[in-house]
Amino acid sequence: MSNEGVSVIIPAYNEQGAITDTLKRVYAVFRGLDRPFEVIVVDDGSSDETGALAKNAGAIVITNPLNGGYGLSLRRGILEAHYGIIAITDADGTYPVEEFPKLLKEYDRGFAMVVGARQGKFYEGSLVKSFSRKVFRWLAEYTAGRGIPDINSGLRVFNIALAKKYLMETCLGFSFTTSLTLIFMSRGHLVAYMPIPYHARIGKSKVRHVRDALQTMQILTETIARYNPVKLFLLLGICTAGLAILFLLSGYLRQNAVWELGGLVGIFTAILVFAIGFIAPRIDR
């Protein structure tokens, strides 16, 4: 393992019940490694004692005057960091920070990012949550063109220079890690995954599932459009062609000329969408 320095960044919003224990565990892990480190807690407009407790535990505390979001807090932490490797985790006790040495060892093999892929019942959650996660995972894998065990894990290490290069293209909310993962992969940077356990959180979750699901869908769409527009237009073209075929079949079975005409228009539209998808990257260049 190299001795390159690590900046540990922990975004925290009203986590006074967990922040002290989380920091104790983080310090215990990194004091056992032969490399310099710093711990930065970004207090995201907390109304409790999160910031004061983090400072008492020895962390560098950056305070947002109001709640700006998970991604914004990580951005601020990255811009204030002093070392070449960024390590992030949550303040709520869900992530096993004791796994950081394994992630760093894998990072030292030459990866741009190493992510802890969550396992266990606390990660799976409800049927609705599990289904939506699988849908987003499929879309993310379609975007990246490779398997992604965990699209938005909050336990990871990555290269700070690369992160700063793409920082303004990342999401300000909970989809920060999703956007950063897809950007790294779309730009050809090597990303590795390692399985980790996932625990029950301490305190109340700040995630708003409907809002964050819509935001994740937006991030996926924007990333495809920016880095691989052919895939976006291919997906749209397939959907359009599928609807057109349904119209044609319905028109044929019903002997309805209007439906058949609609199907033909849909086929031509699908062809046009395919064509735009192949032309778009050349126009961009």
Side-chain angles (χ1 to χ4, degrees):
M1 183 177 288
S2 75
N3 61 352
E4 186 176 4
V6 182
S7 294
V8 184
I9 302 174
I10 306 174
Y13 175 56
N14 290 340
E15 296 290 356
Q16 66 178 12
I19 189 65
T20 300
D21 180 67
T22 297
L23 288 171
K24 284 181 180 178
R25 292 165 56 209
V26 168
Y27 275 108
V29 168
F30 280 90
R31 282 170 179 158
L33 300 179
D34 184 24
R35 57 171 88 216
F37 73 96
E38 63 182 353
V39 179
I40 301 172
V41 171
V42 184
D43 180 9
D44 193 21
S46 298
S47 58
D48 62 9
E49 296 300 312
T50 296
L53 291 171
K55 189 173 183 179
N56 290 339
I60 301 167
V61 178
I62 301 171
T63 303
N64 293 337
L66 54 80
N67 182 240
Y70 176 77
L72 176 65
S73 297
L74 285 174
R75 281 190 187 185
R76 291 201 67 191
I78 290 169
L79 292 173
E80 295 292 331
H82 296 96
Y83 294 117
I85 301 173
I86 297 294
I88 66 171
T89 188
D90 289 356
D92 58 14
T94 52
Y95 287 102
V97 297
E98 293 75 16
E99 298 291 322
F100 270 131
K102 294 180 182 178
L103 269 61
L104 288 166
K105 185 176 181 180
E106 189 73 357
Y107 176 89
D108 289 338
R109 292 180 58 220
F111 288 99
M113 179 186 294
V114 181
V115 185
R118 293 168 288 179
Q119 314 284 317
K121 65 178 182 178
F122 293 111
Y123 173 58
E124 293 299 328
S126 65
L127 288 175
V128 174
K129 186 177 179 180
S130 178
F131 175 75
S132 61
R133 184 184 292 116
K134 288 177 181 178
V135 171
F136 286 127
R137 177 179 172 180
W138 180 85
L139 288 171
E141 290 178 338
Y142 173 76
T143 304
R146 57 155 289 182
I148 303 177
D150 189 343
I151 185 61
N152 63 342
S153 170
L155 187 82
R156 59 183 66 205
V157 298
F158 51 88
N159 181 280
I160 189 173
L162 289 176
K164 285 183 175 180
K165 183 178 179 180
Y166 306 119
L167 205 56
M168 293 302 105
E169 299 172 23
T170 56
C171 174
L172 295 176
F174 277 99
S175 296
F176 174 90
T177 47
T178 300
S179 57
L180 189 66
T181 300
L182 292 176
I183 290 169
F184 267 48
M185 289 181 175
S186 298
R187 286 300 189 188
H189 304 301
L190 298 177
V191 179
Y193 281 86
M194 302 186 73
I196 60 168
Y198 188 68
H199 308 299
R201 67 164 286 123
I202 299 172
K204 185 179 179 182
S205 174
K206 314 302 188 302
V207 178
R208 299 177 184 176
H209 294 291
V210 175
R211 181 200 65 182
D212 292 321
L214 292 173
Q215 192 175 57
T216 301
M217 184 66 75
Q218 177 188 351
I219 289 297
L220 289 170
T221 304
E222 288 178 355
T223 304
I224 299 174
R226 181 186 293 270
Y227 294 105
N228 201 341
V230 173
K231 285 194 172 183
L232 177 62
F233 284 98
L234 178 63
L235 187 61
L236 291 173
I238 290 173
C239 292
T240 304
L243 288 173
I245 291 172
L246 287 176
F247 268 81
L248 280 173
L249 288 175
S250 296
Y252 174 77
L253 293 174
R254 298 181 181 185
Q255 296 297 306
N256 188 316
V258 175
W259 281 61
E260 289 180 354
L261 180 61
L264 289 173
V265 171
I267 293 293
F268 284 116
T269 302
I271 294 172
L272 180 61
V273 170
F274 280 127
I276 293 173
F278 283 105
I279 294 172
R282 292 160 179 78
I283 294 174
D284 183 58
R285 285 196 292 268

